[in-house]
Amino acid sequence: MSRRLASPVTIVSLIAVLCGALVGHAADPIPIGVSVAQTGPVALAGQEQVLGAQIAEEYFNKRGGVNGRPFKLIFQDAGSDEATAINAYQNQINVAKVVAIIGPSLSQQMFAAGPFAVRAKLPVLGISTTAKGIPQVGEFVSRVSAPVAIVAPNAIKAAMDINKNIKRVVVLYAQNDAFSKSETETFQQAVKDLHLELVTVQTFQTTDTDFTAQVTNTLNAKPDLVIISGLQVDGANLVKQLRELAYKGLIVGGNGLNTTNIIPICKALCDGILVAQAYSPEYKSKINDDFKGIYKDRQKKDPPQFSAQAFTGVQVFVEALGALDKKSPIAKMDLAALRVELNKQLIAGTYDTPLGEISFKASPGGEIVQKQSYVAQIKMDPGGTSGKWVYVK
Amino acid sequence: MSSSLLLQQVLNGLAIGSVYAIFALGYTLIFSILRIINFTHGAIFTLGAYATYALTGARFGFNGLLANAALPLHLPFVLALIGGALFAAVSGVIVERLAFRPLRTRGSDPLLTLVSSLGVAVALVNVIQYLFGAEAYSYPADPFGQLPSAMNFGTSTEPVLVRTVQVIIFGVSMVVLALLTVLMNATRTGKALRAVAEDTVTASLLGINTDRLILLTFVISGFLGGVSGTLIGLSVGIAGPYFGIAFGLKGLAVIVLGGLGDIPGAVVGGLLIGLAESFVPAQYIAYREAVPFALLFVVLLLRPQGLLGRAVVQKV
Amino acid sequence: MPAFLAAYDFLLVSMVLAAVLALSLYLPLMAGQLSLASPGFYALGGYIAAIISTKVFPPAAGLYPVPLVLLEMAVAAVASGVLGVIVGVPALRLRGIFLALATIAFVEILRVISLNLDVTGGAIGIFGVPQPFASQIHYMSLAIPLLVLCMLFAARLERSRTGRALVALREDELAADAMGVNPTRYKVLAFTVGAMIAGVVGALSAHFINTWNSRQGTFDTGVSLMAFVLIGGSRTFVGPVVGGLVLTALPEALRGIADVGGLPGWLAQFLRDGRLIIFGVMIALGTVFFPHGLITPALLERLGRGRRHRVEAA
């Protein structure tokens, strides 16, 4: 059935492609691709990213877009698997003819789709891909999602400030998640560097909901501090079950717990978690206040990190396009040249974003340099339905 | 190993296992009557959990088609639970009419039912996401708020704690098991159901309305799916549209381990897998996820019909 | 055409590889064995290729030599074949849904092992798998011959004595046994050949998707393969091939339709966001309207006769 449908579709899309090639009018919006996980098990992250990107699209277009010329985000679902991410990329690159792509959501997907951008010579920006090796995929692959290298020791130090007697540490992480696997290595190294005793390392899966066995193993190790690297729902359930089974010590949560989405799960028990943040809603700057205001207006809560990083991704491309346009008008460039020049400009620039001031390393090209990173402690309201991330360090 | 740790691990195992058992009871019922695996069970389970959520009057998030929607009623939790389970039962009936009955009347390959139920499951999960977004939800008022969050089965110096909600799930799964056993073995309907399970054609020749009984099976299975979805949702939150699907694979291991289609077998299988997971030594926790499947593999090689299953020649 | 190829080169090769993988599930099914082990061998093949090409041979500038890819495919075939026999001999005493479950357990155990080994890179997996071709579409030069070989093998098998023995096993194992067909031998044979095919596809896929990790070749893959075979048709080898091609293309075709101009906004939006709702419904409807699959031996015969008539008329 699909094949019968496919052929007229093909013809029409071919015509669209041919027409697209001739479009170059200065007033046409500049297409920027956004391919994140809108379906599949990772859709919770993707949904937040779409929100952040949409806010950026309206916000920057209202402020004149790219030197007066509007831009347009093209959303193509990258799903939660590698093949769909590649299909989305190919569609963005060859059919939608975008100048740059934001996404996909998972590091594993970027390892698969990234090389396609490298071959097509078009800049792509990871907004939630924190695994080691992402900028090394090649020229044209950058990211605004910082690995937690600096934040991780800070979070542990913050815990040591609160409780001077911390000696025994238990580390738990989601073994099937690239983000958590990379993060836990940093945490475990930091524990050793700070001369703390790593008493046991426990693993779980992001799809797990019951952590009874891990909690028992953790409590048997009599820790003073528990460090968790996981994603939103599993991480929050682990916190909840640790607390319900009478763990009284401090908890440090990785970057995956830096979202208000954990609140429906652990409710009042979220209280007191120290969170390593690549983004803090409390960060004071004009752009973050604006972003936070719009987000809060729509979702009635503080923006999560994924939304802020997606907003930043759009902002970085828009500002790089603007800077490039001032040097040499982009309306006169053909698409291939524009993509290459945009990538150069992207890496050369410095950006004042909701994440703070960021820039990119020249080697490995495209790795983020983020000035601000934060450690916050969650303070829950007595009812347990809302909470605040209070800046600690 | 100290005795309190041993007790803790046994109770942990029962707690983990009762979640698998309660999920698997509705799952195995369909197999016991129809000899097919119903992949939609996980999705029906999720639907039940969402329906209960809606019936408590709670609001949905801002990311689906029904952004910020809420029903204009605030049922107490127990009523909402029953309502949610009824909704799941009705969904089960619709699924049976659309995806199972047409195939059954055409006498097509039983494996094909597996595929059609898979298609329906994919559609249902994505409908849930389309309507309500991908976020996690939790029931607003904790119905067991007055109870302590964990119960102590040890002493005050050596506590052995089990989360209260898991004790409740264990209790409910035992009650459901008892009710199903009575239904199957001590009622006329149960006898008729067993006749249908034995041989649909002969049963209908004997004047049994097989279509009605199969529908009843889906009603009960859907209802149980809804109850278990809500209870597990109470324990760990409703983890988005894939909530129930995540239990599907292990649920399959549970019902096969116990003996496919055997109702007490589902509970035995669930508890056994829970115990096996609980007794994985702390240093080998990284391999815990493989334990239920290794157990399943070994049991199948030793007893191909499962632990409590009868040896039957399988028709495929 | 070049624009179409540029946009859909990856999809087209994926479709062909899916068709080959579907055949790896079809072979044991010919003998009535519902095995969902193929994804496990597919994962194994992928890891073998990813490890050989990134760790054994040092990275070099330029394209990765195609003969080395062929070597990896051969290693994957041998390794999968050996593992296939080891797993198949005990497991194939099981039947029906019990065999399916045992093979699902096998796949799940492999996944957990790959998450824990250093050589497989845990959750991050192995990335930067080198490219043997300058363009994705050139993967066809390996994928198409692979598909043709497997189809020829299946076609010959269906007509051979062995194939008839397999079908006899599917229809009635006891009777076949009584007629002197050695069930274990033929079942293990079909299972092992299926395993080797899956391993070879995995090896090629690791290059094709640039990376390999524990998310490749899981239970979900197995379920998709089952849908390919049963929707395509499980009574002739053409069925799984058609099923693999069509069902792999379907979600992307829906995406393509949404991009076509002129559709009302809400419909385009639904096609994009509700793509998987439509996909699921189409699978369910497919089973209802084509209870024996899209392609049946009877249909092939009718088509064959039609062509002969036309030839005679001309």
Side-chain angles (χ1 to χ4, degrees):
Chain A
M1 188 179 286
S2 87
R3 284 208 301 189
R4 236 182 291 156
L5 288 174
S7 49
V9 173
T10 316
I11 293 163
V12 179
S13 55
L14 259 175
I15 294 168
V17 166
L18 292 173
C19 298
L22 300 173
V23 170
H25 309 296
D28 283 339
I30 303 168
I32 299 174
V34 178
S35 280
V36 294
Q38 290 176 265
T39 55
V42 194
L44 183 51
Q47 174 176 295
E48 293 181 348
Q49 292 170 331
V50 168
L51 279 167
Q54 282 170 339
I55 291 175
E57 182 180 26
E58 282 174 38
Y59 181 82
F60 290 108
N61 271 330
K62 251 187 217 157
R63 274 154 192 74
V66 178
N67 301 334
R69 181 172 166 193
F71 70 95
K72 185 175 74 183
L73 296 183
I74 312 277
F75 289 89
Q76 284 291 356
D77 174 23
S80 298
D81 63 310
E82 285 73 0
T84 309
I86 295 174
N87 282 321
Y89 254 50
Q90 291 292 70
N91 194 297
Q92 297 276 24
I93 296 170
N94 300 298
V95 180
K97 306 265 177 196
V98 298
V99 296
I101 303 175
I102 291 163
S105 300
L106 291 175
S107 295
Q108 294 102 320
Q109 290 178 301
M110 184 61 107
F111 287 132
F116 285 80
V118 176
R119 257 171 270 163
K121 300 195 193 308
L122 134 144
V124 296
L125 203 52
I127 49 175
S128 53
T129 46
T130 50
K132 267 189 261 174
I134 292 287
Q136 287 85 350
V137 167
E139 201 190 343
F140 298 100
V141 177
S142 308
R143 62 173 159 193
V144 295
S145 42
V148 288
I150 317 152
V151 197
N154 283 348
I156 301 175
K157 279 182 205 150
M160 292 166 78
D161 287 344
I162 297 172
N163 176 3
K164 306 271 187 264
N165 299 321
I166 288 178
K167 284 189 192 68
R168 299 166 65 83
V169 182
V170 169
V171 169
L172 298 115
Y173 74 96
Q175 65 170 183
N176 63 335
D177 176 49
F179 172 94
S180 306
K181 167 98 176 150
S182 297
E183 187 183 79
T184 198
E185 284 168 11
T186 317
F187 270 126
Q188 291 181 32
Q189 189 57 44
V191 167
K192 282 174 200 146
D193 293 346
L194 292 165
H195 304 291
L196 299 171
E197 189 188 351
L198 184 59
V199 271
T200 177
V201 175
Q202 295 286 302
T203 61
F204 53 92
Q205 311 262 324
T206 50
T207 47
D208 280 349
T209 48
D210 189 302
F211 301 94
T212 317
Q214 286 90 344
V215 170
T216 296
N217 294 339
T218 300
L219 294 178
N220 277 335
K222 306 213 178 318
D224 312 307
L225 173 66
V226 166
I227 301 174
I228 299 171
S229 292
L231 300 183
Q232 331 191 345
V233 174
D234 47 323
N237 260 316
L238 181 50
V239 169
K240 175 185 181 184
Q241 292 172 28
L242 272 167
R243 290 300 187 207
E244 288 189 340
L245 296 170
Y247 172 66
K248 299 271 189 286
L250 282 169
I251 298 177
V252 166
N255 227 278
L257 273 72
N258 188 22
T259 163
T260 39
N261 276 330
I262 64 173
I263 290 178
I265 307 286
C266 51
K267 295 184 180 168
L269 298 173
C270 303
D271 194 65
I273 308 175
L274 289 159
V275 181
Q277 298 179 301
Y279 165 70
S280 166
E282 302 300 311
Y283 171 61
K284 291 280 168 251
S285 79
K286 167 84 172 67
I287 188 113
N288 191 38
D289 288 346
D290 288 353
F291 165 64
K292 192 167 123 181
I294 303 171
Y295 186 93
K296 258 191 137 156
D297 198 40
R298 295 191 184 174
Q299 298 278 317
K300 316 291 174 227
K301 58 183 185 184
D302 276 345
Q305 181 177 314
F306 285 143
S307 299
Q309 287 170 325
F311 180 95
T312 301
V314 175
Q315 180 188 356
V316 163
F317 277 134
V318 171
E319 290 183 2
L321 279 166
L324 179 62
D325 188 44
K326 281 184 182 147
K327 279 192 218 159
S328 69
I330 55 178
K332 291 190 183 140
M333 285 187 219
D334 71 1
L335 185 60
L338 174 56
R339 285 169 172 177
V340 172
E341 292 304 318
L342 176 58
N343 190 56
K344 283 185 198 149
Q345 180 61 44
L346 173 83
I347 292 180
T350 302
Y351 310 87
D352 176 25
T353 72
L355 306 180
E357 188 189 302
I358 63 169
S359 57
F360 297 94
K361 284 184 192 165
S363 168
E367 179 66 297
I368 184 176
V369 181
Q370 186 175 352
K371 282 268 171 63
Q372 281 84 358
S373 60
Y374 321 83
V375 179
Q377 189 165 29
I378 302 177
K379 286 272 176 268
M380 293 300 297
D381 298 340
T385 50
S386 63
K388 264 195 137 40
W389 269 238
V390 180
Y391 174 78
V392 181
K393 201 159 188 158
Chain B
M1 190 188 284
S2 75
S3 62
S4 70
L5 178 58
L6 182 68
L7 179 62
Q8 179 78 64
Q9 287 188 324
V10 171
L11 293 181
N12 282 353
L14 296 179
I16 301 167
S18 55
V19 169
Y20 299 153
I22 203 167
F23 177 86
L25 276 168
Y27 207 4
T28 206
L29 189 65
I30 304 263
F31 191 90
S32 77
I33 308 298
L34 290 176
R35 303 273 124 190
I36 51 171
I37 285 184
N38 176 15
F39 271 129
T40 60
H41 192 66
I44 300 267
F45 167 104
T46 314
L47 275 180
Y50 274 75
T52 306
Y53 178 83
L55 288 171
T56 61
R59 214 160 267 287
F60 285 101
F62 299 92
N63 298 303
L65 202 63
L66 299 179
N68 204 26
L71 289 177
L73 40 85
H74 294 273
L75 293 184
F77 182 78
V78 175
L79 285 183
L81 164 74
I82 294 170
L86 287 174
F87 182 83
V90 172
S91 316
V93 169
I94 295 172
V95 166
E96 197 272 336
R97 278 288 164 90
L98 295 181
F100 289 83
R101 185 171 297 184
L103 290 173
R104 199 167 59 243
T105 52
R106 283 164 206 227
S108 55
D109 191 335
L111 282 179
L112 210 59
T113 350
L114 221 86
V115 175
S116 75
S117 73
L118 172 78
V120 174
V122 170
L124 282 179
V125 165
N126 285 285
V127 165
I128 294 172
Q129 189 187 325
Y130 194 72
L131 295 180
F132 307 115
E135 54 259 61
Y137 292 101
S138 63
Y139 298 108
D142 193 341
F144 310 117
Q146 311 89 312
L147 299 176
S149 59
M151 293 168 120
N152 188 357
F153 289 85
T155 60
S156 54
T157 48
E158 279 192 84
V160 176
L161 295 178
V162 179
R163 297 169 62 225
T164 308
V165 60
Q166 290 185 303
V167 178
I168 291 168
I169 290 176
F170 182 81
V172 172
S173 55
M174 289 302 141
V175 170
V176 169
L177 170 63
L179 289 177
L180 278 182
T181 312
V182 170
L183 171 76
M184 293 300 279
N185 296 306
T187 64
R188 284 180 59 91
T189 311
K191 280 200 192 105
L193 278 171
R194 278 184 292 148
V196 174
E198 213 60 58
D199 188 340
T200 322
V201 179
T202 318
S204 52
L205 287 178
L206 288 172
I208 297 173
N209 185 342
T210 53
D211 273 347
R212 209 175 57 95
L213 284 169
I214 289 170
L215 207 60
L216 178 70
T217 312
F218 275 86
V219 168
I220 301 173
S221 166
F223 189 86
L224 292 178
V227 170
S228 53
T230 301
L231 285 179
I232 298 174
L234 197 59
S235 170
V236 299
I238 310 166
Y242 285 83
F243 179 41
I245 298 291
F247 288 94
L249 180 55
K250 223 175 259 179
L252 213 52
V254 165
I255 62 176
V256 175
L257 188 68
L260 257 179
D262 188 87
I263 290 163
V267 173
V268 170
L271 296 182
L272 258 183
I273 286 186
L275 285 168
E277 287 188 12
S278 160
F279 274 93
V280 174
Q283 62 269 38
Y284 298 118
I285 193 87
Y287 286 92
R288 177 179 115 127
E289 198 63 14
V291 167
F293 296 97
L295 189 68
L296 176 69
F297 198 81
V298 172
V299 167
L300 281 179
L301 294 189
L302 298 176
R303 253 188 86 83
Q305 68 274 35
L307 288 173
L308 301 189
R310 289 166 304 155
V312 284
V313 176
Q314 266 273 277
K315 291 171 282 185
V316 166
Chain C
M1 203 60 189
F4 175 78
L5 275 188
Y8 293 108
D9 54 355
F10 178 81
L11 181 64
L12 291 170
V13 180
S14 309
M15 287 161 63
V16 173
L17 292 178
V20 184
L21 261 190
L23 280 175
S24 80
L25 192 112
Y26 169 75
L27 285 179
L29 201 63
M30 266 177 84
Q33 308 297 304
L34 177 64
S35 153
L36 294 180
S38 288
F41 299 108
Y42 170 73
L44 176 72
Y47 275 120
I48 286 175
I51 290 168
I52 292 180
S53 61
T54 59
K55 302 195 172 155
V56 177
F57 296 108
L63 293 177
Y64 186 76
V66 175
L68 286 185
V69 179
L70 295 174
L71 174 75
E72 291 159 17
M73 288 162 76
V75 174
V78 172
S80 301
V82 171
L83 187 63
V85 173
I86 295 172
V87 174
V89 169
L92 289 166
R93 296 186 301 140
L94 300 169
R95 293 190 206 164
I97 205 74
F98 297 100
L99 174 65
L101 259 292
T103 51
I104 289 170
F106 162 74
V107 170
E108 194 58 15
I109 291 168
L110 280 189
R111 182 182 77 89
V112 176
I113 292 175
S114 69
L115 273 176
N116 281 291
L117 293 183
D118 282 336
V119 70
T120 51
I124 298 165
I126 298 167
F127 52 88
V129 178
Q131 291 305 303
F133 302 113
S135 156
Q136 287 304 104
I137 200 70
H138 293 164
Y139 274 94
M140 283 293 192
S141 64
L142 294 179
I144 293 275
L146 188 60
L147 177 63
V148 170
L149 270 178
C150 292
M151 285 175 75
L152 283 177
F153 177 80
R156 282 195 66 113
L157 187 66
E158 275 177 8
R159 298 206 183 89
S160 72
R161 210 184 102 76
T162 313
R164 283 196 299 274
L166 291 176
V167 173
L169 281 175
R170 177 176 68 195
E171 300 304 334
D172 189 342
E173 178 160 343
L174 289 178
D177 198 4
M179 282 156 56
V181 174
N182 178 349
T184 311
R185 198 181 132 215
Y186 284 110
K187 281 197 269 184
V188 173
L189 181 77
F191 181 82
T192 307
V193 175
M196 292 169 75
I197 293 175
V200 170
V201 178
L204 187 55
S205 297
H207 289 280
F208 180 56
I209 71 164
N210 302 303
T211 180
W212 205 252
N213 56 49
S214 60
R215 292 148 40 88
Q216 312 307 317
T218 59
F219 170 61
D220 294 346
T221 321
V223 172
S224 312
L225 292 182
M226 197 169 68
F228 295 168
V229 175
L230 291 167
I231 298 248
S234 62
R235 296 288 148 133
T236 156
F237 72 93
V238 185
V241 173
V242 171
L245 293 173
V246 169
L247 291 186
T248 308
L250 187 53
E252 292 305 318
L254 292 171
R255 192 204 291 273
I257 296 170
D259 287 340
V260 172
L263 290 178
W266 62 269
L267 183 61
Q269 199 56 37
F270 181 73
L271 283 172
R272 228 171 263 133
D273 299 346
R275 206 167 85 246
L276 295 179
I277 300 177
I278 302 170
F279 180 64
V281 168
M282 285 177 98
I283 287 191
L285 290 180
T287 59
V288 174
F289 289 108
F290 300 94
H292 302 287
L294 293 170
I295 310 291
T296 57
L299 175 73
L300 289 179
E301 202 171 301
R302 267 208 309 281
L303 287 177
R305 255 205 316 261
R307 195 181 309 142
R308 268 201 302 280
H309 281 309
R310 252 175 278 137
V311 171
E312 279 161 20

